[in-house]
Amino acid sequence: MRAQHRYCMQDPSLEMTDRLLLEQIHPGSRVLDLGCGDGRLLARLREERDASVLGIEIDITQHHAAIARGVPVIQADLDEGLLDIPDGAFDYVVLSQTLQQVLHPKQLLEEMVRVAKKALVVVPNFGNWRIRLQVLKQGRAPVTEVLPYEWYNTPNLHLMSMHDFQDLMRLLGIEILQEIPIINHRAIEKAWLANLRAQHVLYVLQRQETPGETRVSEQTSTGHSAPIPR
């Protein structure tokens, strides 16, 4: 049985990442945060965006902290999927610094674009020049500000570069609406040599639709979306 405290890796660009995510979410939206930690972002979304929010968190201590904030949170394991959540139940689903820690990132991404109109994903970039240089010079698993763990105690199971992530999106038929590299704690869109320079990346994603397809999330009739606690 895997340890139940692996999600929600500490982000050294936390405040800036939260601000970026807030900027992407329209007021009054329905938001699901996967690996929500102590509910910090969800509380801000509710207060600053009047959003209807729900979190999923596996760690019991973080779950209790989120509840203490008055944020509705389900204690559940993302590795078990999102099967209980109806298609199009949310406007946005957030996954920040968590994708690299789940067992099945491909399946989780597919589920994310099923349950929400847009997915916001923040991941570390393994293509960063500092990581490359450490491997080249030392011949060892890299330890950096972005990846601060030794190989034997890291919660990160699936490390990727920006190019790797782009390839997976093409494979899954998921459209990248925005790609925002985070370089030295600053968000720089269309950055020069982004895969070499970025420490983290924010992706805004949506499922590519086939001609004539009607998204459940865009239907206005009742009964298609589960009610969300505010």
Side-chain angles (χ1 to χ4, degrees):
M1 183 176 180
R2 301 180 69 213
Q4 296 193 351
H5 55 266
R6 62 194 181 279
Y7 297 149
C8 211
M9 184 179 79
Q10 184 65 37
D11 181 356
S13 304
L14 199 60
E15 176 60 31
M16 189 271 300
T17 302
D18 282 359
R19 187 176 70 251
L20 270 181
L21 291 167
L22 284 163
E23 289 172 356
Q24 296 294 330
I25 295 172
H26 295 152
S29 296
R30 301 162 299 166
V31 183
L32 175 65
D33 189 359
L34 305 177
C36 66
D38 63 4
R40 179 198 68 258
L41 176 63
L42 291 175
R44 289 190 64 180
L45 283 166
R46 189 170 58 184
E47 294 165 8
E48 300 176 31
R49 289 290 188 269
D50 191 31
S52 298
V53 300
L54 180 65
I56 295 179
E57 175 58 47
I58 192 172
D59 181 79
I60 189 64
T61 302
Q62 296 277 53
H63 177 264
H64 288 168
I67 295 297
R69 290 180 186 268
V71 174
V73 178
I74 299 169
Q75 188 186 14
D77 190 342
L78 295 180
D79 289 327
E80 296 178 0
L82 307 176
L83 297 178
D84 292 335
I85 300 177
D87 293 1
F90 295 88
D91 299 305
Y92 299 91
V93 56
V94 176
L95 187 73
S96 183
Q97 299 293 1
T98 302
L99 181 66
Q100 71 277 3
Q101 298 184 21
V102 299
L103 284 175
H104 308 292
K106 175 176 173 288
Q107 288 87 333
L108 183 58
L109 286 163
E110 291 175 313
E111 285 286 274
M112 289 175 68
V113 296
R114 177 186 65 79
V115 303
K117 294 178 183 178
K118 292 182 180 179
L120 308 178
V121 180
V122 181
V123 291
N125 174 35
F126 202 67
N128 179 261
W129 69 268
R130 290 182 178 86
I131 294 173
R132 301 189 198 197
L133 186 61
Q134 276 199 28
V135 174
L136 181 64
K137 290 179 64 177
Q138 301 176 15
R140 296 178 179 273
V143 178
T144 67
E145 179 186 31
V146 176
L147 300 170
Y149 301 97
E150 296 289 349
W151 68 268
Y152 50 82
N153 65 3
T154 180
N156 299 313
L157 307 177
H158 304 282
L159 297 170
M160 75 219 82
S161 71
M162 292 177 66
H163 295 332
D164 293 324
F165 191 88
Q166 293 159 4
D167 288 345
L168 180 58
M169 294 307 95
R170 283 190 287 269
L171 177 67
L172 297 180
I174 296 175
E175 181 179 0
I176 298 177
L177 299 177
Q178 281 185 275
E179 180 182 76
I180 305 176
I182 300 170
I183 302 172
N184 296 327
H185 310 296
R186 294 174 55 221
I188 305 176
E189 292 194 59
K190 299 179 181 178
W192 175 68
L193 293 178
N195 190 50
L196 190 65
R197 299 170 59 209
Q199 286 94 19
H200 310 273
V201 192
L202 167 62
Y203 291 97
V204 182
L205 312 171
Q206 74 175 15
R207 180 166 58 92
Q208 291 180 354
E209 299 178 25
T210 57
E213 181 180 15
T214 301
R215 286 191 60 107
V216 173
S217 58
E218 293 173 353
Q219 296 176 359
T220 57
S221 59
T222 60
H224 288 282
S225 299
I228 304 168
R230 289 185 66 82

